[in-house]
Each structure stands twice: as C-alpha cells, then as structure tokens.
Amino acid sequence: LSKRIVAYIGLGSNLDHPATQISSALQALVKLPESTLINHSHLYQSRPMGPQDQPDYINSVAHIETALSAEQLLDQLQAIEQQQGRVRKGAQWGARTLDLDLLLYGDSQIATERLTVPHPGLHQRAFVLYPLQEVAASLEIVGLGPLEQLLSTCPRDGLMCLDEAE
Ligand code: ATP
Ligand code: MG
Ligand code: MG
C-alpha cells in the first residue's frame, strides 16, 4: 500500500460562471484516483493578477490525501482544467475557466520543468494564503516557514470571503 501524502490545491476561475466552475472542479477532485478530498475552503473573490482588463476571480483551496505522485497529480489537475474548457493562450495570468495549481505536496520541494513545489506564488498571494488557512490552520510550509507568519505580511488585497455563513 503506497503512502498517502497530504496535498493542497489552489483553484481559480474568472470565466463562464466562475463559482460553478469551482464547484465542478471540487466535484472532480472528489473523484481523483487513489485520493481523498478531505475538505475545502469557502469561495473567495479576488482581483486579477497581471492584466487588469479581465473579470475578478473566484478562488478556493482544497486539502486532499493522495497516493499519486506529484507528477501524476499534476496530470490529473491538467486533465480537469481541460475538461472544464481551459484554453491556453495570450498573456500570462490571462482569463481562464479553471486554474488548478499544486500548492504543496507533503514536505516535498520539487524543481523540474513541469513542476515547482511549493508553488512559487504561494507566499505572496492573498487568494492562496487566506483560504489555505481555513483548511490548514497551523501549517509549517517547507522552505517558507509558518503559514501564520506568511499571512502576517500578506495584505488581503481586496480578497472577500463569499459564503462565510454556509
Ligand atoms: P501561476 O503558476 O503563476 O499561478 P498559472 O497558474 O496561470 O500561473 P498555468 O498556465 O496554469 O500558470 O501553468 C503553466 C505551467 O506551470 C504548467 O504547464 C505547469 O507545468 C507549470 N507548473 C509548475 N509548477 C506548478 C504547480 N505547482 N502547479 C501547477 N502547475 C505548475
Ligand atoms: Mg495559477
Ligand atoms: Mg496554473
């Protein structure tokens, strides 16, 4: 029986009914092979990074346990992006129906052509750190330190939690 690794996935969408895209992606994460979706954060609304002439994003973070390798997990995440109509074109950080980023894979530090883990933007992105705190309160992030410390130097940047009452 292969060892199960705790992994965190960042979800984002700003096209074609973003909240529905995120819900569908969470359903797809439930069906990941050799994996269990443990929980996910509320949905958040954030201003776009990069090009500003695009809609606001809806974001969430999911906590899973998986026996997949990091590369196998990335394959699965990219397949879900494709299923939900992700088109890769235009500027970096342009609008998209779905972005699934592997934020953390256990305590692994990965630097290959396909994969950088921890995800390179993680420590400075409010739309990652605040939802991550919901699903992993006292997390120690390999190479970066305590999540709480990263949060203390990361302004919310207009980030809004959408469904706190749920
Ligand atoms: P950012 O990664 O800054 O959030 P993005 O999510 O818009 O930007 P994408 O177009 O989704 O970037 O992905 C570009 C490439 O990033 C992918 O082809 C993938 O191989 C690579 N990549 C490297 N590290 C990761 C990771 N931790 N999670 C997801 N993709 C990654
Ligand atoms: Mg991304
Ligand atoms: Mg991505």
Side-chain angles (χ1 to χ4, degrees):
L1 234 151
S2 42
K3 191 159 174 285
R4 289 169 82 83
I5 303 288
V6 169
Y8 296 94
I9 296 160
L11 302 88
S13 169
N14 74 337
L15 285 183
D16 196 13
H17 306 287
T20 306
Q21 296 285 350
I22 297 301
S23 302
S24 303
L26 289 168
Q27 285 314 302
L29 293 181
V30 170
K31 296 180 192 148
L32 277 181
E34 299 179 65
S35 307
T36 307
L37 176 65
I38 306 296
N39 60 3
H40 62 83
S41 72
H42 289 107
L43 302 194
Y44 287 76
Q45 184 171 338
S46 64
R47 295 288 305 139
M49 296 191 312
Q52 293 298 297
D53 58 339
Q54 58 175 324
D56 283 358
Y57 277 78
I58 302 299
N59 298 100
S60 181
V61 167
H63 169 193
I64 70 167
E65 286 179 7
T66 187
L68 299 175
S69 69
E71 290 71 22
Q72 289 172 329
L73 183 53
L74 181 65
D75 288 338
Q76 294 288 332
L77 298 181
Q78 291 182 339
I80 297 168
E81 289 178 341
Q82 292 307 307
Q83 281 157 23
Q84 293 190 214
R86 172 83 180 253
V87 178
R88 294 186 178 276
K89 59 161 192 213
Q92 186 187 24
W93 299 327
R96 74 287 297 274
T97 51
L98 184 62
D99 183 38
L100 297 177
D101 290 339
L102 179 53
L103 303 174
L104 296 168
Y105 182 81
D107 286 329
S108 295
Q109 292 179 289
I110 305 170
T112 64
E113 204 168 316
R114 287 190 73 203
L115 209 46
T116 304
V117 177
H119 186 275
L122 177 147
H123 62 288
Q124 57 201 22
R125 294 182 179 176
F127 62 84
V128 171
L129 293 178
Y130 288 88
L132 181 59
Q133 182 186 38
E134 278 189 48
V135 293
S138 60
L139 192 65
E140 177 77 23
I141 300 178
V142 60
L144 292 169
L147 175 59
E148 277 191 12
Q149 199 167 308
L150 298 176
L151 280 159
S152 70
T153 56
C154 186
R156 288 187 71 97
D157 204 15
L159 185 73
M160 289 189 298
C161 186
L162 290 183
D163 46 6
E164 243 155 1
E166 272 182 27

